[in-house]
Amino acid sequence: MSDVRLENISKRFGDTLALEGISLHIHDDEFFVLLGPTGAGKTTTLRVIAGLEKQDDGHVYLDDRLMDGAQPADRDVAFVFQQYSLYPNMSVYDNLAFPLRSPLRRLPEGEIRQRVTGAAEKLRITHLLERKTARLSGGEMQRVSIGRAIVRQPRIFLMDEPLSNLDAKLRESLRVELKHLQKTQGSTTLFVTHDQIEALTMADRIAVLDQGKIIQNGTPFDIYDRPATTFVAQMVGTPRINLIAAEWQDGAYRTPGAALSFARQNGAAAEKVLVGVRPEDVRPGAGDFRGEVMLVEPLGVETILHIRTGEITLLCVVSGLSSIQLGEVLSFGFAVERLHFFDMNGRRL
Amino acid sequence: MANVANAPRQKVVISTRVDKVSTGARVTSSVRAAIAVIVALIMLIPVAWMAMTAFKTRPDAVAVPPKVFFEPSFEGFVSLLTSRRQLTNDEIAVYQQRTDLGWADQIALIRGQAITGPSAFPRQLLNSLIISGVSTVFSVGFGVLSAYAFSRFPVPGKDDLLFFILSQRMLPPVVVTIPIFLMYRQVGLHDTHIGMVLLYTAFNLSFSVWLLKGFIDEIPREYEEAAMVDGYTRLQAFRRIVLPQATTGIAATTVFSLIFSWNEYAFALMLTSDAARTAPPSIPLVLGTGGIEWAAIAAGSLAFLIPVVIITFLLRKHLLRGVTFGAIRKG
Ligand SMILES: Nc1ncnc2c1ncn2[C@@H]1O[C@H](COP(=O)(O)OP(=O)(O)OP(=O)(O)O)[C@@H](O)[C@H]1O
Ligand SMILES: [Mg+2]
């Protein structure tokens, strides 16, 4: 049973307000992702939970126990740092055994050996155990850091962009491994990333953080299908969502520069709106609008089309390799029920 | 050549395999090594001369032109380590008959002297060892602790404090010798080991705080933080993680502190007289009966040099990395 609750956490560094009233509740067994751009306060949040940084305001509860004054060692959390933090001059084995040899635990060496080899097998680093950490590749180092966290059963794993320093292929495979590990071990994890794909693929729940504030908190579906602001909408999904400014005219939202119109939907009542259209919701082939194909990017599974209509260029994704040619003029429509309406301040209507 | 097959197609300049290095590169590096050896030899001439003088007899030591080849003698060492009495001619005759004389007595007898007991020099050398050793341990120990605090904690008035600490080093010792002399006389620290240890510790501390802070700043905080999250207290993390990482800096600071307090002359001359007198002010005072005992002085200097050489030799690996101050590779 582990359960992490943040109540109204604020943290200031000199003049920068790093966190502003953060409240979160991470449940047992949950894979919770903090998603945000650089400088959003993700690392600071983790450090406050671990007790490495003292919040100015608010409370941290671990398993319903108030932890505000507790030392990092007494909080029983595991931290995978953003930068490599393997102890140099120690072998991989000793690095993995280090948390287990802590005076708080005093495990017998036999059990330590068992747990270390167990963790090493899970992460497939058994062959590295005798090596010095300075001679490892980036991917190997990151596995060892993760290993150092999973040798024990902490209340929560705090992972600070553990995959960000890796190349794309390694990142993908570690992503799968981590997710698998989390599900088989049933461990509570707070995972920080600025990569939306990581967030969407791994998370049970996501909190989107920007400038020290939580913008939205929900399942990947909520975040993707019902983004609370244009910031969230732009943050998740590749290619990016199309945001089109439109005005209420003659019973529909119409774009000033292009001949696009959108029917009003569920309560959108503002004069001016931003209409969000995910690229996959632009349907070429049939519809009321016409545009010219400016660029075709075939990616194999899907093809990205840049369609120009009036002064607007829309991104559009179609599955598979498309036969649509550059310069072609085609008609297209929208998946009307999947449009997002935001007010001019970016809030969802 | 045996392994032509796996030799590189182009000549390389640096390789661990000698047979792969081009002749040009090999010549260049030989020339460089030769120059280094020559410079080292030139630097060593005074030291070598001192070592030779230590083994000369009194006439050989002052011979003109200087003697490069001579018959070695322990006269200098005997003069350094013993106190002697001049014998009358009658006594010399008696002594020459005796068969129970040790080799040192015989050397003294050549000059018509009899050994009356050990000299003060061994004790002074011991004083030097104790005072510089203990003060080095203190200044490095306190230095590591305060450097760590300055490096990691938001100490109020940090910059001013650091500057204040550095400013302790700005006055030349001679300027403060007299006030310290008067103070020490008042509080009874004059000519005591504790007094000298205190003084040298205070003097070296400023330097060691600054030097060590640079090294500790280089050690990423994440290491200790990881250890703290892993179930260690800050102090345990400091001992298990930070200290091993700072060995280079600690070694360098140790040698610098040690050399300073080992060589220190002005304070020692003023503040010690007997019980706590160290070697540096004593060596020039090894005067025999009549004339300067160059051989004894050289022997004293040689004995004085050896501990520093040993320490530096033991710590050489750390020092070589230490002289690139702050250019330590980050783990
Ligand atoms: N020790 C510190 N001193 C001063 N400012 C800090 C400190 N730590 C963080 N900040 C500031 O707080 C804000 C949040 O930083 P934080 O490291 O939490 O961001 P992040 O979301 O982890 O970013 P990144 O994706 O780049 O790691 C930033 O503006 C940063 O400059
Ligand atoms: Mg960060």
Side-chain angles (χ1 to χ4, degrees):
Chain A
M1 167 48 207
S2 44
D3 178 284
V4 175
R5 204 143 46 80
L6 299 186
E7 251 175 30
N8 238 332
I9 300 282
S10 292
K11 174 75 194 173
R12 190 175 263 294
F13 293 106
D15 290 340
T16 36
L17 192 54
L19 297 179
E20 198 178 343
I22 297 286
S23 296
L24 278 181
H25 191 169
I26 302 158
H27 306 285
D28 198 26
D29 279 4
E30 198 169 32
F31 198 111
F32 197 99
V33 171
L34 260 186
L35 175 66
T38 181
K42 308 179 296 290
T43 302
T44 309
T45 309
L46 292 195
R47 291 174 59 87
V48 166
I49 297 176
L52 295 172
E53 211 79 71
K54 175 113 186 64
Q55 70 272 24
D56 300 331
D57 243 324
H59 305 288
V60 178
Y61 295 91
L62 301 179
D63 294 344
D64 287 325
R65 280 184 37 215
L66 185 64
M67 280 292 174
D68 288 351
Q71 290 299 311
D74 300 327
R75 299 195 180 200
D76 192 22
V77 301
F79 206 127
V80 178
F81 284 82
Q82 189 165 7
Q83 282 97 19
Y84 308 135
S85 60
L86 297 183
Y87 310 121
N89 315 323
M90 273 195 207
S91 67
V92 170
Y93 182 90
D94 288 334
N95 260 279
L96 293 181
F98 194 76
L100 302 175
R101 288 179 179 150
S102 132
L104 288 183
R105 280 173 270 275
R106 295 199 184 286
L107 293 182
E109 278 297 321
E111 182 171 354
I112 291 180
R113 175 155 290 275
Q114 209 175 349
R115 290 225 214 157
V116 169
T117 44
E121 268 163 35
K122 278 190 201 130
L123 292 168
R124 285 181 263 125
I125 48 174
T126 310
H127 60 292
L128 302 174
L129 283 177
E130 298 312 319
R131 278 215 224 154
K132 286 271 188 238
T133 53
R135 306 235 183 81
L136 300 179
S137 74
E140 291 167 341
M141 284 195 190
Q142 213 53 314
R143 277 160 199 262
V144 178
S145 313
I146 294 167
R148 200 171 60 191
I150 66 167
V151 286
R152 55 198 180 100
Q153 277 99 41
R155 285 199 171 103
I156 184 168
F157 292 101
L158 304 173
M159 302 199 175
D160 195 356
E161 311 202 22
L163 310 180
S164 64
N165 290 323
L166 308 178
D167 65 56
K169 215 167 166 184
L170 203 64
R171 185 187 301 203
E172 218 162 278
S173 69
L174 260 182
R175 195 166 77 204
V176 175
E177 281 173 41
L178 264 184
K179 179 77 182 171
H180 177 73
L181 216 66
Q182 192 264 339
K183 282 302 157 213
T184 50
Q185 291 213 326
S187 48
T188 314
T189 305
L190 177 53
F191 184 100
V192 158
T193 180
H194 61 245
D195 178 352
Q196 51 99 15
I197 299 204
E198 258 169 52
L200 291 177
T201 51
M202 299 173 87
D204 294 324
R205 270 197 307 146
I206 299 175
V208 180
L209 202 60
D210 186 34
Q211 297 179 359
K213 280 189 269 210
I214 291 183
I215 310 286
Q216 191 176 1
N217 182 342
T219 64
F221 292 106
D222 292 337
I223 301 287
Y224 191 80
D225 280 345
R226 296 188 49 79
T229 66
T230 47
F231 174 81
V232 176
Q234 286 177 305
M235 183 98 199
V236 294
T238 39
R240 270 191 178 205
I241 192 167
N242 299 296
L243 279 181
I244 306 152
E247 263 176 63
W248 185 252
Q249 262 175 17
D250 310 330
Y253 286 113
R254 295 177 197 279
T255 56
L260 296 180
S261 64
F262 308 92
R264 170 179 275 180
Q265 277 192 338
N266 47 26
E271 246 335 83
K272 292 181 170 184
V273 292
L274 288 169
V275 183
V277 189
R278 295 246 177 241
E280 64 272 25
D281 299 331
V282 178
R283 306 269 159 83
D288 305 333
F289 315 112
R290 292 183 70 76
E292 188 189 350
V293 177
M294 305 299 288
L295 187 64
V296 180
E297 298 177 79
L299 300 176
V301 234
E302 57 187 28
T303 303
I304 301 172
L305 305 174
H306 297 237
I307 301 172
R308 184 161 188 91
T309 172
E311 284 161 15
I312 296 170
T313 304
L314 291 173
L315 292 183
C316 160
V317 170
V318 292
S319 66
L321 289 172
S322 167
S323 58
I324 295 169
Q325 298 291 314
L326 194 65
E328 201 172 307
V329 174
L330 45 67
S331 52
F332 63 91
F334 301 112
V336 187
E337 70 290 352
R338 296 179 50 83
L339 297 180
H340 308 274
F341 289 86
F342 303 95
D343 66 20
M344 294 312 280
N345 296 322
R347 308 190 63 81
R348 188 181 187 83
L349 291 170
Chain B
M1 251 198 273
N3 36 25
V4 177
N6 37 16
R9 252 160 256 130
Q10 280 177 335
K11 294 206 168 184
V12 293
V13 177
I14 297 169
S15 167
T16 46
R17 274 179 54 182
V18 180
D19 61 320
K20 282 187 181 177
V21 183
S22 75
T23 356
R26 241 147 80 195
V27 169
T28 321
S29 80
S30 311
V31 168
R32 264 203 247 157
I35 292 175
V37 168
I38 290 168
V39 170
L41 284 178
I42 292 173
M43 298 301 208
L44 281 174
I45 285 176
V47 181
W49 194 256
M50 185 187 78
M52 281 161 65
T53 308
F55 290 98
K56 283 178 178 173
T57 60
R58 198 134 67 129
D60 280 351
V62 293
V64 180
K67 282 193 177 178
V68 178
F69 299 102
F70 57 92
E71 197 174 323
S73 145
F74 282 102
E75 205 183 303
F77 288 91
V78 171
S79 312
L80 179 70
L81 299 173
T82 63
S83 48
R84 295 158 315 280
R85 158 176 84 82
Q86 194 65 44
L87 298 172
T88 61
N89 285 346
D90 295 347
E91 282 175 317
I92 292 176
V94 175
Y95 265 75
Q96 275 166 345
Q97 301 306 314
R98 283 170 61 169
T99 52
D100 59 338
L101 292 181
W103 63 270
D105 295 294
Q106 281 167 9
I107 291 174
L109 190 57
I110 295 170
R111 283 171 43 187
Q113 295 176 335
I115 294 171
T116 56
S119 73
F121 186 75
R123 220 190 57 229
Q124 288 158 349
L125 205 60
L126 187 67
N127 283 344
S128 266
L129 274 177
I130 293 171
I131 290 170
S132 50
V134 175
S135 71
T136 298
V137 168
F138 279 146
S139 59
V140 174
F142 291 136
V144 172
L145 293 178
S146 43
Y148 181 74
F150 276 122
S151 169
R152 295 298 199 257
F153 301 122
V155 181
K158 183 188 273 190
D159 294 344
D160 296 335
L161 272 176
L162 277 171
F163 182 76
F164 171 75
I165 290 174
L166 184 65
S167 70
Q168 299 304 296
R169 194 69 188 209
M170 291 179 179
L171 279 181
V174 252
V175 178
V176 287
T177 342
I178 307 282
I180 289 178
F181 175 73
L182 295 175
M183 284 187 328
Y184 268 33
R185 278 263 296 265
Q186 281 294 314
V187 295
L189 284 174
H190 179 79
D191 199 22
T192 59
H193 289 82
I194 296 179
M196 295 310 287
V197 167
L198 214 62
L199 189 66
Y200 289 167
T201 304
F203 224 76
N204 275 329
L205 201 51
S206 61
F207 176 68
S208 83
V209 168
W210 272 80
L211 194 55
L212 284 165
K213 181 172 176 294
F215 280 98
I216 290 177
D217 282 343
E218 290 286 318
I219 304 171
R221 282 161 178 263
E222 275 86 0
Y223 293 145
E224 300 137 72
E225 290 179 341
M228 282 160 66
V229 173
D230 281 345
Y232 294 79
T233 63
R234 185 174 276 279
L235 204 62
Q236 288 161 343
F238 173 74
R239 210 171 52 80
R240 305 275 308 256
I241 305 297
V242 180
L243 278 190
Q245 290 260 71
T247 38
T248 302
I250 291 172
T253 316
T254 303
V255 169
F256 282 120
S257 300
L258 195 70
I259 288 176
F260 170 81
S261 35
W262 185 252
N263 287 346
E264 207 285 324
Y265 181 82
F267 283 132
L269 187 66
M270 287 291 284
L271 300 178
T272 63
S273 50
D274 187 32
R277 170 130 293 188
T278 55
S282 340
I283 292 173
L285 299 178
V286 194
L287 293 175
T289 42
I292 299 172
E293 296 254 16
W294 288 114
I297 291 175
S301 307
L302 199 62
F304 184 69
L305 195 66
I306 286 168
V308 178
V309 172
I310 291 174
I311 297 282
T312 315
F313 183 76
L314 289 179
L315 295 179
R316 69 193 182 286
K317 244 167 72 188
H318 298 295
L319 286 177
L320 279 183
R321 282 195 290 148
V323 287
T324 56
F325 293 108
I328 307 170
R329 196 181 151 242
K330 298 208 180 177

